[in-house]
Amino acid sequence: MIPHISGRPRRTLVLAATLGAALAFGAPAALAGTAPVSPSGSSAPAPAAAPKAAAPTSQSATWVAGTRAYLVITAPGDTTAVRNAVTANSGTVFQYYDAIGVIVAHSASGTFATTMRGVSGVQQVGATRTSDVPADAYNPALPANPAQATTPSGEPVRADMTQIKADQAWAVTTGSASVKVGILDTGVDDQHQDLAPNFNAADSASCAYGKPDTRTGAWRDVGTHGTHVAGTVAAAKNGKGVIGVAPGVKISSVRIAEPGSSLFFAENTVCGFMWAGDHGFKVTNNSYYTDPWQFNCPDNADQAAIIEGVKRAQEYAEGKGSLQVAAAGNSNIDLANKTTDTESPNDSTPVTRTITNACLDIPTELPGVVTVSAMGTTAKASYSNYGLNVVDVTAPGGDSVGIYSTQPGGKYGTMSGTSMASPHVTGVAALLASTNPGITPAQLRDKLATQANDVACPSDSRCKGTTAKNGFFGEGQVDALKAVGSTPPPGKFFENTGDFAIGDNTTVESPITVSGVTGNAPATLKVGVNIVHTYIGDLKVDLVAPDGTVYTVHNRAGGSTDNINQVFTVNASSEVANGTWKLRVNDNAGGDTGKVDAWNLTF
């Protein structure tokens, strides 16, 4: 069986591993597909208040074998009465979200769900698993913090990035550090040399078991899947390893996989979406499906509650400005023509059951979620799920050749799956958000569709639809270059990706030698600047022409804001183009340091 990678992570297909990273095709059961899994959007009542947690201190002492988890659904608002009913009926409240009317309850009573369904004000109750809640839920162990390997300098542009024109998009922008992207997955190795520059620990947490754990490191990887996904989204453009689609944005880890099983249960997904909404994530990546059911059917009371709870949480996140992107799955099935499920429940003994299109792969099939299929180089990946009016867009996921990205411990490796396709789309969405400040999730969905390049159906009767929109590729393959401006920047491009440390009260210069350009520089010389610094109000940044003329592009603005990742326009028409140009950075105060990460000139 292919491990999940996207949800329970939609199971990822591991083709090859390098530099000591052992991968598998797919990821844990819930990972996208039998491979990666992806979350879906849904509608929910408008938020009434921030989520509140209720975790009795006696829980760890009273856990017993047979303890199961339930979603108890009531009207959004004050859930006090229903929470009291949980306690009065042999349950405990593990977590609750007044804003969406969802309570995560635990009980060892075999009649808990039936009893609670008869309580006034209770709309639905559903068991979220067919196995016991682990005792670890009450005193979670922190994931390991792996020792970090180092890698030689050099980050060649990979075929998947060229395929979606990300390498051309970087000449326009690498993304804005003000755009937050959430990686809802098995966790992320924040110490990795290619992820640390863009990692946002302040907005990272674990949602394993269904409530936030904000201890340092709780967000770290309990597998390899989440770290691999994170690198595809936003590995730093730092001269090492790999480059992500949007290497200038910030990434946060919300671990929703449980250790040991690497399963993504409904309460974990609900917690992850609520966290995303409350922490300002512009985009989240969901390369998994919600365990233990590959498909949740509304005619089953337990599964109906799972659908409703996750749907409300997705809508809450979307209402707060967050777009969810999810993997379609790796079972090579038509999501628009469902007939049989043979893989559920995956936390106990799977059974074969007949299903219909009313049964949903969540979160990827929820309203508002962007569903992503996987391509090889030019064709649908052999494992990728598909479906007309289900798949929204497509992206590289690897097939005979996998996707190369980051792995825990400073390593790198190759994996395939819709779990690997989804983060390419998430990265493009982050670039769109960077170049369109204030864009809404609905507008982002529309732009992802309109910028995609049409991919026609092959000679395959399973592919339904038109060239413009079909079941294999949706609206088409995403295009990062179109996302940031439709056309490549005119003129010749020169770049220095070397790191230049910026110490307190010091001046540093990074040179670029320009040659082969006729005449003077243009009146619209583009100066792309990527400076990593914890207080840009300390900095004065100048472009120095070959003759020594100084053009100031940033002068101690921005206050305590982190990082400069911006393209400036300079009228350098009086300067001869050829020669050595310099980016000069003055640090004018103590207490904050950084580096020139990269800069470029486009003539």
Side-chain angles (χ1 to χ4, degrees), residues 15 19 32 74 106 117 145 164 197 229 282 329 361 410 477 496 520:
L15 296 181
L19 298 181
T74 185
H106 288 178
R117 287 173 187 140
N145 185 10
I164 64 168
V229 164
K282 196 64 184 176
D361 179 344
Q477 180 173 252
N496 188 336
N520 285 5

Side-chain angles (χ1 to χ4, degrees), residues 467-543:
T467 297
K469 183 178 182 181
N470 58 64
F472 275 16
F473 311 112
E475 300 280 355
Q477 180 173 252
V478 292
D479 186 318
L481 183 58
K482 285 184 180 179
V484 299
S486 297
T487 57
K492 292 193 174 184
F493 178 78
F494 302 86
E495 184 174 33
N496 188 336
T497 61
D499 291 350
F500 291 80
I502 304 170
D504 284 332
N505 294 296
T506 61
T507 299
V508 298
E509 293 183 340
S510 174
I512 289 178
T513 299
V514 174
S515 61
V517 179
T518 302
N520 285 5
T524 57
L525 178 65
K526 301 299 182 184
V527 185
V529 177
N530 185 357
I531 293 175
V532 177
H533 196 280
T534 52
Y535 199 103
I536 65 171
D538 290 354
L539 302 181
K540 182 173 182 286
V541 182
D542 299 317
L543 175 68

Side-chain angles (χ1 to χ4, degrees), residues 27-56:
L31 295 180
T34 1
V37 174
S38 52
S40 306
S42 71
S43 303
K52 300 176 182 177

Side-chain angles (χ1 to χ4, degrees), residues 429-597:
L431 291 177
L432 281 167
S434 298
T435 54
N436 296 273
I439 193 170
T440 67
Q443 291 168 336
L444 264 181
R445 280 195 299 273
D446 289 345
K447 281 187 174 290
L448 280 170
T450 56
Q451 58 78 50
N453 294 314
D454 292 343
V455 183
C457 280
S459 298
D460 188 327
S461 61
R462 298 174 301 164
C463 187
K464 311 296 184 184
T466 65
T467 297
K469 183 178 182 181
N470 58 64
F472 275 16
F473 311 112
E475 300 280 355
Q477 180 173 252
V478 292
D479 186 318
L481 183 58
K482 285 184 180 179
V484 299
S486 297
T487 57
K492 292 193 174 184
F493 178 78
F494 302 86
E495 184 174 33
N496 188 336
T497 61
D499 291 350
F500 291 80
I502 304 170
D504 284 332
N505 294 296
T506 61
T507 299
V508 298
E509 293 183 340
S510 174
I512 289 178
T513 299
V514 174
S515 61
V517 179
T518 302
N520 285 5
T524 57
L525 178 65
K526 301 299 182 184
V527 185
V529 177
N530 185 357
I531 293 175
V532 177
H533 196 280
T534 52
Y535 199 103
I536 65 171
D538 290 354
L539 302 181
K540 182 173 182 286
V541 182
D542 299 317
L543 175 68
V544 182
D547 67 357
T549 303
V550 175
Y551 299 87
T552 298
V553 297
H554 172 92
N555 193 3
R556 304 192 69 174
S560 61
T561 304
D562 290 350
N563 308 334
I564 301 173
N565 194 343
Q566 188 174 344
V567 178
F568 300 94
T569 301
V570 172
N571 183 351
S573 56
S574 63
E575 307 292 338
V576 174
N578 291 335
T580 299
W581 297 73
K582 297 176 183 177
L583 189 74
R584 178 182 294 161
V585 182
N586 304 99
D587 184 292
N588 295 279
D592 290 272
T593 60
K595 65 178 179 179
V596 178
D597 196 40

Side-chain angles (χ1 to χ4, degrees), residues 92-477:
T92 56
V93 174
F94 188 75
Q95 174 74 359
Y96 62 95
Y97 302 97
D98 279 347
I100 60 172
V102 174
I103 299 164
V104 179
H106 288 178
S107 179
S109 169
T111 61
F112 176 78
T114 301
T115 302
M116 285 300 300
R117 287 173 187 140
V119 170
S120 176
V122 172
Q123 298 171 354
Q124 297 182 64
V125 179
T128 64
R129 50 185 88 201
T130 62
S131 58
D132 290 359
V133 175
D136 184 66
Y138 301 113
N139 186 23
L142 287 173
N145 185 10
Q148 298 294 315
T150 57
T151 190
S153 297
E155 50 183 1
V157 174
R158 306 184 313 283
D160 56 309
M161 295 297 162
T162 300
Q163 187 170 326
I164 64 168
K165 301 179 185 175
D167 55 333
Q168 296 180 58
W170 300 329
V172 179
T173 180
T174 55
S176 169
S178 66
V179 172
K180 297 180 184 179
V181 176
I183 309 298
L184 277 57
D185 214 291
T186 61
V188 174
D189 179 5
D190 56 304
Q191 305 295 312
H192 195 291
Q193 60 197 347
D194 242 355
L195 300 177
N198 293 334
F199 193 79
N200 174 16
D203 292 313
S204 295
S206 168
C207 270
Y209 309 116
K211 68 178 175 182
D213 179 353
T214 58
R215 292 176 297 164
T216 299
W219 56 73
R220 292 193 177 122
D221 212 330
V222 295
T224 59
H225 190 263
T227 300
H228 193 280
V229 164
T232 298
V233 175
K237 197 169 185 289
N238 57 2
K240 302 174 183 177
V242 298
I243 310 171
V245 177
V249 305
K250 289 296 186 182
I251 51 173
S252 296
S253 171
V254 183
R255 178 168 65 86
I256 58 174
E258 297 181 5
S261 68
S262 286
L263 296 181
F264 299 60
F265 292 103
E267 59 269 34
N268 309 1
T269 306
V270 168
C271 173
F273 287 159
M274 299 300 289
W275 182 273
D278 288 331
H279 289 261
F281 295 171
K282 196 64 184 176
V283 191
T284 70
N285 188 84
N286 302 264
S287 289
Y288 61 89
Y289 66 81
T290 301
D291 299 293
W293 305 99
Q294 183 176 18
F295 299 100
N296 288 271
C297 299
D299 60 355
N300 177 285
D302 291 329
Q303 294 164 40
I306 289 172
I307 294 171
E308 181 65 19
V310 176
K311 182 174 76 72
R312 289 188 186 189
Q314 193 299 121
E315 185 177 71
Y316 178 87
E318 183 169 343
K320 292 280 192 173
S322 177
L323 175 70
Q324 278 56 253
V325 177
N330 304 332
S331 297
N332 191 27
I333 61 175
D334 186 352
L335 295 175
N337 184 28
K338 304 184 186 86
T339 58
T340 307
D341 177 13
T342 62
E343 298 186 22
S344 308
N346 63 4
D347 65 336
S348 55
T349 304
V351 297
T352 298
R353 58 181 182 144
T354 299
I355 61 172
T356 70
N357 286 346
C359 302
L360 301 180
D361 179 344
I362 63 173
T364 199
E365 287 193 274
L366 291 177
V369 175
V370 175
T371 302
V372 182
S373 68
M375 294 185 71
T377 303
T378 58
K380 182 185 87 71
S382 58
Y383 51 81
S384 179
N385 287 353
Y386 56 96
L388 182 62
N389 297 321
V390 178
V391 169
D392 293 305
V393 289
T394 193
D399 206 346
S400 58
V401 177
I403 303 300
Y404 186 73
S405 188
T406 47
Q407 287 293 307
K411 300 174 184 177
Y412 300 83
T414 301
M415 299 175 81
S416 291
T418 54
S419 282
M420 283 59 258
S422 180
H424 286 87
V425 176
T426 297
V428 171
L431 291 177
L432 281 167
S434 298
T435 54
N436 296 273
I439 193 170
T440 67
Q443 291 168 336
L444 264 181
R445 280 195 299 273
D446 289 345
K447 281 187 174 290
L448 280 170
T450 56
Q451 58 78 50
N453 294 314
D454 292 343
V455 183
C457 280
S459 298
D460 188 327
S461 61
R462 298 174 301 164
C463 187
K464 311 296 184 184
T466 65
T467 297
K469 183 178 182 181
N470 58 64
F472 275 16
F473 311 112
E475 300 280 355
Q477 180 173 252

